[in-house]
């Protein structure tokens, strides 16, 4: 597992949110809503569920974390810094020329970034191939694929879901961030994938759905997914709140790409500071 620490998962999630806000402030923009919303899931992934070595991000025995949603890169950079895979000193280079942290994630640039995410809908297919390869090599690592609810509207996602079941990929855990937001409005109003859990179950998956901003529920869901004893692929659907932890941003009507005015970055950081866990 990742190095043992006495830092709580609540504090890890808070640190991830803070780092994401600081990076957003560097550029004056970013997919902050998604980063704040998925922070609890990332904290549980990297500091509870996953096996990896911060000093050796290409260690063959590592669990793989695939970011299908490339525009969530700011969130992944934050957790990679928190995990010690990226140096925190690089935070101020976010989105700049020659930075290892471009605004959309690219595997060739960033240690710990397993794939180049986007166009959306391809991450789960890549995860299936990766899980098949590991299985054939008798490598016991898990493949985690973080995708968005919007990707449930892509046919390639369901082809991958069918393939994962057919090939008995019990080493694959799909994480769906269900924040019900896309660029044009609510995901459920664009092309609803509901009911999501029964759909995955019909494709032969072990499926769960929990509140993605309730850390205890998130941890329990990861434990349940990893404990499945048969060879079904596993999926956890996380209902998350965009901009979680910064109430005045949570209340915005449009949260897919949040417009944050220059004077609001410090306000957001101050609001976050008020809820700082021990």
């Amino acid at each position: 597992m990742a190095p043992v620490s006495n830092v709580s998962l609540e504090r890890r999630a808070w640190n991830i949110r803070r780092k994401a806000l600081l990076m957003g402030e560097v550029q004056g923009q970013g997919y902050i809503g998604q980063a704040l919303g998925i922070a609890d899931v990332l904290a549980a992934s990297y500091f509870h569920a996953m096996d990896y070595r911060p000093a050796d991000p290409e260690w063959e025995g590592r669990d793989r974390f695939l970011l299908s949603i490339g525009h969530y890169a700011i969130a992944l950079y934050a957790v990679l810094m928190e995990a010690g895979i990226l140096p925190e000193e690089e935070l101020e280079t976010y989105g700049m020329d020659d930075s290892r942290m471009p605004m959309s994630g690219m595997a060739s640039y960033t240690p710990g970034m397993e794939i180049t995410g986007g166009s959306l809908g391809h991450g789960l297919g890549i995860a299936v191939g990766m899980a098949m390869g590991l299985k054939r090599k008798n490598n016991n690592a898990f493949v985690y694929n973080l995708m968005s609810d919007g990707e449930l509207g892509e046919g390639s996602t369901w082809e991958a879901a069918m393939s994962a079941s057919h090939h008995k990929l019990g080493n694959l855990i799909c994480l769906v961030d269900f924040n019900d937001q896309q660029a044009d409005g609510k995901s459920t109003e664009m092309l609803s994938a509901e009911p999501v859990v029964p759909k995955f179950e019909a494709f032969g998956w072990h499926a769960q759905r929990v509140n993605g901003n309730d850390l205890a529920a998130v941890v329990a869901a990861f434990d349940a997914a990893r404990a499945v004893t048969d060879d079904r692929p596993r999926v956890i659907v996380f209902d998350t709140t965009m901009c979680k932890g910064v109430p005045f941003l949570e209340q915005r009507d449009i949260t897919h790409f949040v417009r944050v005015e220059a004077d609001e970055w410090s306000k957001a950081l101050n609001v976050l500071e008020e809820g700082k866990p021990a």
Side-chain angles (χ1 to χ4, degrees), residues 134-161:
L134 290 171
K135 189 175 180 180
R136 291 180 180 181
K137 292 194 293 184
N138 295 315
N139 185 322
N140 293 323
F142 279 96
V143 177
Y144 293 86
N145 179 70
L146 177 61
M147 59 179 285
S148 64
D149 52 352
E151 291 178 87
L152 297 175
E154 299 279 359
S156 54
T157 293
W158 296 105
E159 291 178 49

mmCIF file of all heavy atoms in Angstrom, residues 134-161:
data_model
loop_
_atom_site.group_PDB
_atom_site.id
_atom_site.type_symbol
_atom_site.label_atom_id
_atom_site.label_comp_id
_atom_site.label_asym_id
_atom_site.label_seq_id
_atom_site.Cartn_x
_atom_site.Cartn_y
_atom_site.Cartn_z
ATOM 1 N N LEU A 134 -2.549 -7.152 -17.602
ATOM 2 C CA LEU A 134 -2.062 -7.492 -16.265
ATOM 3 C C LEU A 134 -2.466 -8.904 -15.875
ATOM 4 O O LEU A 134 -1.689 -9.652 -15.273
ATOM 5 C CB LEU A 134 -2.601 -6.482 -15.245
ATOM 6 C CG LEU A 134 -2.030 -5.066 -15.341
ATOM 7 C CD1 LEU A 134 -2.810 -4.114 -14.429
ATOM 8 C CD2 LEU A 134 -0.548 -5.051 -14.972
ATOM 9 N N LYS A 135 -3.692 -9.274 -16.223
ATOM 10 C CA LYS A 135 -4.184 -10.616 -15.895
ATOM 11 C C LYS A 135 -3.350 -11.681 -16.600
ATOM 12 O O LYS A 135 -2.989 -12.703 -16.004
ATOM 13 C CB LYS A 135 -5.658 -10.714 -16.286
ATOM 14 C CG LYS A 135 -6.361 -11.974 -15.798
ATOM 15 C CD LYS A 135 -7.850 -11.915 -16.122
ATOM 16 C CE LYS A 135 -8.557 -13.175 -15.645
ATOM 17 N NZ LYS A 135 -10.016 -13.136 -15.945
ATOM 18 N N ARG A 136 -3.020 -11.441 -17.857
ATOM 19 C CA ARG A 136 -2.229 -12.412 -18.615
ATOM 20 C C ARG A 136 -0.802 -12.518 -18.096
ATOM 21 O O ARG A 136 -0.141 -13.555 -18.265
ATOM 22 C CB ARG A 136 -2.239 -12.047 -20.101
ATOM 23 C CG ARG A 136 -3.610 -12.249 -20.743
ATOM 24 C CD ARG A 136 -3.642 -11.883 -22.203
ATOM 25 N NE ARG A 136 -4.969 -12.095 -22.768
ATOM 26 C CZ ARG A 136 -5.285 -11.878 -24.029
ATOM 27 N NH1 ARG A 136 -4.364 -11.434 -24.883
ATOM 28 N NH2 ARG A 136 -6.520 -12.104 -24.461
ATOM 29 N N LYS A 137 -0.310 -11.461 -17.470
ATOM 30 C CA LYS A 137 1.032 -11.480 -16.888
ATOM 31 C C LYS A 137 1.022 -11.958 -15.438
ATOM 32 O O LYS A 137 2.045 -11.928 -14.768
ATOM 33 C CB LYS A 137 1.656 -10.083 -16.970
ATOM 34 C CG LYS A 137 1.977 -9.636 -18.383
ATOM 35 C CD LYS A 137 2.890 -8.425 -18.412
ATOM 36 C CE LYS A 137 2.230 -7.179 -17.881
ATOM 37 N NZ LYS A 137 3.112 -5.988 -18.019
ATOM 38 N N ASN A 138 -0.163 -12.375 -14.959
ATOM 39 C CA ASN A 138 -0.318 -12.807 -13.558
ATOM 40 C C ASN A 138 0.094 -11.714 -12.574
ATOM 41 O O ASN A 138 0.636 -11.993 -11.500
ATOM 42 C CB ASN A 138 0.485 -14.094 -13.299
ATOM 43 C CG ASN A 138 -0.044 -15.272 -14.095
ATOM 44 O OD1 ASN A 138 -1.252 -15.498 -14.155
ATOM 45 N ND2 ASN A 138 0.858 -16.006 -14.725
ATOM 46 N N ASN A 139 -0.159 -10.478 -12.964
ATOM 47 C CA ASN A 139 0.094 -9.323 -12.104
ATOM 48 C C ASN A 139 -1.198 -9.033 -11.344
ATOM 49 O O ASN A 139 -2.253 -8.860 -11.947
ATOM 50 C CB ASN A 139 0.500 -8.122 -12.971
ATOM 51 C CG ASN A 139 0.911 -6.912 -12.167
ATOM 52 O OD1 ASN A 139 0.332 -6.615 -11.129
ATOM 53 N ND2 ASN A 139 1.909 -6.185 -12.652
ATOM 54 N N ASN A 140 -1.128 -9.009 -10.024
ATOM 55 C CA ASN A 140 -2.332 -8.873 -9.196
ATOM 56 C C ASN A 140 -2.810 -7.433 -9.012
ATOM 57 O O ASN A 140 -3.716 -7.179 -8.212
ATOM 58 C CB ASN A 140 -2.088 -9.506 -7.822
ATOM 59 C CG ASN A 140 -1.918 -11.011 -7.905
ATOM 60 O OD1 ASN A 140 -2.583 -11.664 -8.710
ATOM 61 N ND2 ASN A 140 -1.010 -11.551 -7.107
ATOM 62 N N ALA A 141 -2.206 -6.493 -9.718
ATOM 63 C CA ALA A 141 -2.591 -5.086 -9.557
ATOM 64 C C ALA A 141 -4.017 -4.848 -10.043
ATOM 65 O O ALA A 141 -4.505 -5.517 -10.958
ATOM 66 C CB ALA A 141 -1.625 -4.191 -10.326
ATOM 67 N N PHE A 142 -4.664 -3.868 -9.411
ATOM 68 C CA PHE A 142 -5.977 -3.411 -9.856
ATOM 69 C C PHE A 142 -5.816 -2.268 -10.852
ATOM 70 O O PHE A 142 -4.842 -1.502 -10.790
ATOM 71 C CB PHE A 142 -6.809 -2.906 -8.675
ATOM 72 C CG PHE A 142 -7.488 -3.996 -7.885
ATOM 73 C CD1 PHE A 142 -6.913 -4.511 -6.735
ATOM 74 C CD2 PHE A 142 -8.721 -4.500 -8.287
ATOM 75 C CE1 PHE A 142 -7.531 -5.504 -6.002
ATOM 76 C CE2 PHE A 142 -9.359 -5.499 -7.564
ATOM 77 C CZ PHE A 142 -8.765 -6.001 -6.414
ATOM 78 N N VAL A 143 -6.781 -2.140 -11.738
ATOM 79 C CA VAL A 143 -6.885 -0.980 -12.629
ATOM 80 C C VAL A 143 -8.126 -0.201 -12.212
ATOM 81 O O VAL A 143 -9.235 -0.737 -12.214
ATOM 82 C CB VAL A 143 -7.006 -1.400 -14.102
ATOM 83 C CG1 VAL A 143 -7.179 -0.159 -14.988
ATOM 84 C CG2 VAL A 143 -5.785 -2.201 -14.540
ATOM 85 N N TYR A 144 -7.919 1.062 -11.823
ATOM 86 C CA TYR A 144 -9.023 1.957 -11.479
ATOM 87 C C TYR A 144 -9.220 2.931 -12.636
ATOM 88 O O TYR A 144 -8.257 3.541 -13.108
ATOM 89 C CB TYR A 144 -8.699 2.754 -10.209
ATOM 90 C CG TYR A 144 -8.605 1.921 -8.957
ATOM 91 C CD1 TYR A 144 -7.401 1.300 -8.602
ATOM 92 C CD2 TYR A 144 -9.705 1.753 -8.119
ATOM 93 C CE1 TYR A 144 -7.308 0.532 -7.451
ATOM 94 C CE2 TYR A 144 -9.621 0.991 -6.970
ATOM 95 C CZ TYR A 144 -8.419 0.382 -6.633
ATOM 96 O OH TYR A 144 -8.331 -0.388 -5.499
ATOM 97 N N ASN A 145 -10.446 3.064 -13.084
ATOM 98 C CA ASN A 145 -10.736 4.007 -14.174
ATOM 99 C C ASN A 145 -11.759 5.029 -13.684
ATOM 100 O O ASN A 145 -12.908 4.676 -13.401
ATOM 101 C CB ASN A 145 -11.291 3.279 -15.393
ATOM 102 C CG ASN A 145 -11.626 4.234 -16.525
ATOM 103 O OD1 ASN A 145 -10.745 4.809 -17.148
ATOM 104 N ND2 ASN A 145 -12.915 4.428 -16.784
ATOM 105 N N LEU A 146 -11.331 6.286 -13.562
ATOM 106 C CA LEU A 146 -12.246 7.354 -13.165
ATOM 107 C C LEU A 146 -12.843 7.984 -14.410
ATOM 108 O O LEU A 146 -12.121 8.489 -15.276
ATOM 109 C CB LEU A 146 -11.519 8.418 -12.340
ATOM 110 C CG LEU A 146 -12.377 9.628 -11.928
ATOM 111 C CD1 LEU A 146 -13.563 9.214 -11.065
ATOM 112 C CD2 LEU A 146 -11.522 10.675 -11.206
ATOM 113 N N MET A 147 -14.169 7.937 -14.502
ATOM 114 C CA MET A 147 -14.862 8.504 -15.654
ATOM 115 C C MET A 147 -16.031 9.356 -15.173
ATOM 116 O O MET A 147 -16.391 9.336 -13.991
ATOM 117 C CB MET A 147 -15.361 7.388 -16.579
ATOM 118 C CG MET A 147 -16.302 6.414 -15.920
ATOM 119 S SD MET A 147 -16.896 5.113 -17.031
ATOM 120 C CE MET A 147 -18.074 6.057 -17.997
ATOM 121 N N SER A 148 -16.610 10.106 -16.091
ATOM 122 C CA SER A 148 -17.709 10.999 -15.742
ATOM 123 C C SER A 148 -19.042 10.377 -16.103
ATOM 124 O O SER A 148 -19.121 9.445 -16.921
ATOM 125 C CB SER A 148 -17.558 12.324 -16.484
ATOM 126 O OG SER A 148 -17.673 12.108 -17.878
ATOM 127 N N ASP A 149 -20.105 10.912 -15.517
ATOM 128 C CA ASP A 149 -21.448 10.434 -15.870
ATOM 129 C C ASP A 149 -21.765 10.725 -17.332
ATOM 130 O O ASP A 149 -22.488 9.973 -17.983
ATOM 131 C CB ASP A 149 -22.510 11.020 -14.938
ATOM 132 C CG ASP A 149 -22.459 12.539 -14.821
ATOM 133 O OD1 ASP A 149 -21.509 13.160 -15.348
ATOM 134 O OD2 ASP A 149 -23.356 13.114 -14.185
ATOM 135 N N GLY A 150 -21.200 11.802 -17.874
ATOM 136 C CA GLY A 150 -21.431 12.113 -19.283
ATOM 137 C C GLY A 150 -20.931 11.019 -20.209
ATOM 138 O O GLY A 150 -21.492 10.803 -21.293
ATOM 139 N N GLU A 151 -19.887 10.307 -19.791
ATOM 140 C CA GLU A 151 -19.336 9.236 -20.622
ATOM 141 C C GLU A 151 -20.252 8.020 -20.690
ATOM 142 O O GLU A 151 -20.055 7.144 -21.541
ATOM 143 C CB GLU A 151 -17.957 8.832 -20.094
ATOM 144 C CG GLU A 151 -16.899 9.902 -20.296
ATOM 145 C CD GLU A 151 -15.554 9.496 -19.732
ATOM 146 O OE1 GLU A 151 -14.782 8.833 -20.448
ATOM 147 O OE2 GLU A 151 -15.275 9.843 -18.561
ATOM 148 N N LEU A 152 -21.245 7.973 -19.817
ATOM 149 C CA LEU A 152 -22.221 6.885 -19.881
ATOM 150 C C LEU A 152 -23.102 7.013 -21.118
ATOM 151 O O LEU A 152 -23.816 6.076 -21.476
ATOM 152 C CB LEU A 152 -23.084 6.878 -18.616
ATOM 153 C CG LEU A 152 -22.341 6.612 -17.306
ATOM 154 C CD1 LEU A 152 -23.293 6.754 -16.127
ATOM 155 C CD2 LEU A 152 -21.693 5.225 -17.310
ATOM 156 N N GLY A 153 -23.057 8.161 -21.771
ATOM 157 C CA GLY A 153 -23.796 8.354 -23.014
ATOM 158 C C GLY A 153 -23.015 7.948 -24.249
ATOM 159 O O GLY A 153 -23.523 8.063 -25.365
ATOM 160 N N GLU A 154 -21.790 7.475 -24.061
ATOM 161 C CA GLU A 154 -20.939 7.069 -25.182
ATOM 162 C C GLU A 154 -21.077 5.566 -25.429
ATOM 163 O O GLU A 154 -20.921 4.762 -24.505
ATOM 164 C CB GLU A 154 -19.467 7.395 -24.883
ATOM 165 C CG GLU A 154 -19.187 8.871 -24.677
ATOM 166 C CD GLU A 154 -19.048 9.626 -25.982
ATOM 167 O OE1 GLU A 154 -19.158 8.989 -27.052
ATOM 168 O OE2 GLU A 154 -18.829 10.846 -25.947
ATOM 169 N N GLY A 155 -21.334 5.171 -26.663
ATOM 170 C CA GLY A 155 -21.457 3.752 -26.978
ATOM 171 C C GLY A 155 -20.206 2.964 -26.649
ATOM 172 O O GLY A 155 -20.280 1.789 -26.247
ATOM 173 N N SER A 156 -19.031 3.586 -26.813
ATOM 174 C CA SER A 156 -17.770 2.892 -26.538
ATOM 175 C C SER A 156 -17.667 2.469 -25.076
ATOM 176 O O SER A 156 -17.020 1.466 -24.758
ATOM 177 C CB SER A 156 -16.579 3.781 -26.917
ATOM 178 O OG SER A 156 -16.665 5.040 -26.285
ATOM 179 N N THR A 157 -18.291 3.240 -24.186
ATOM 180 C CA THR A 157 -18.273 2.881 -22.769
ATOM 181 C C THR A 157 -18.970 1.542 -22.550
ATOM 182 O O THR A 157 -18.473 0.668 -21.817
ATOM 183 C CB THR A 157 -18.960 3.975 -21.930
ATOM 184 O OG1 THR A 157 -18.165 5.168 -21.984
ATOM 185 C CG2 THR A 157 -19.110 3.551 -20.476
ATOM 186 N N TRP A 158 -20.108 1.354 -23.187
ATOM 187 C CA TRP A 158 -20.872 0.122 -22.969
ATOM 188 C C TRP A 158 -20.266 -1.060 -23.727
ATOM 189 O O TRP A 158 -20.379 -2.207 -23.277
ATOM 190 C CB TRP A 158 -22.340 0.354 -23.318
ATOM 191 C CG TRP A 158 -22.922 1.379 -22.377
ATOM 192 C CD1 TRP A 158 -23.219 2.675 -22.646
ATOM 193 C CD2 TRP A 158 -23.206 1.179 -20.984
ATOM 194 N NE1 TRP A 158 -23.683 3.308 -21.521
ATOM 195 C CE2 TRP A 158 -23.689 2.414 -20.479
ATOM 196 C CE3 TRP A 158 -23.102 0.098 -20.121
ATOM 197 C CZ2 TRP A 158 -24.061 2.586 -19.154
ATOM 198 C CZ3 TRP A 158 -23.475 0.258 -18.790
ATOM 199 C CH2 TRP A 158 -23.945 1.495 -18.326
ATOM 200 N N GLU A 159 -19.589 -0.802 -24.838
ATOM 201 C CA GLU A 159 -18.822 -1.876 -25.471
ATOM 202 C C GLU A 159 -17.723 -2.354 -24.533
ATOM 203 O O GLU A 159 -17.475 -3.563 -24.398
ATOM 204 C CB GLU A 159 -18.211 -1.380 -26.778
ATOM 205 C CG GLU A 159 -19.197 -1.089 -27.895
ATOM 206 C CD GLU A 159 -18.500 -0.548 -29.125
ATOM 207 O OE1 GLU A 159 -17.493 -1.150 -29.553
ATOM 208 O OE2 GLU A 159 -18.946 0.485 -29.663
ATOM 209 N N ALA A 160 -17.053 -1.403 -23.880
ATOM 210 C CA ALA A 160 -16.000 -1.763 -22.934
ATOM 211 C C ALA A 160 -16.583 -2.511 -21.734
ATOM 212 O O ALA A 160 -15.987 -3.479 -21.241
ATOM 213 C CB ALA A 160 -15.271 -0.503 -22.471
ATOM 214 N N ALA A 161 -17.740 -2.061 -21.265
ATOM 215 C CA ALA A 161 -18.376 -2.721 -20.128
ATOM 216 C C ALA A 161 -18.707 -4.169 -20.462
ATOM 217 O O ALA A 161 -18.509 -5.077 -19.640
ATOM 218 C CB ALA A 161 -19.639 -1.965 -19.730
#
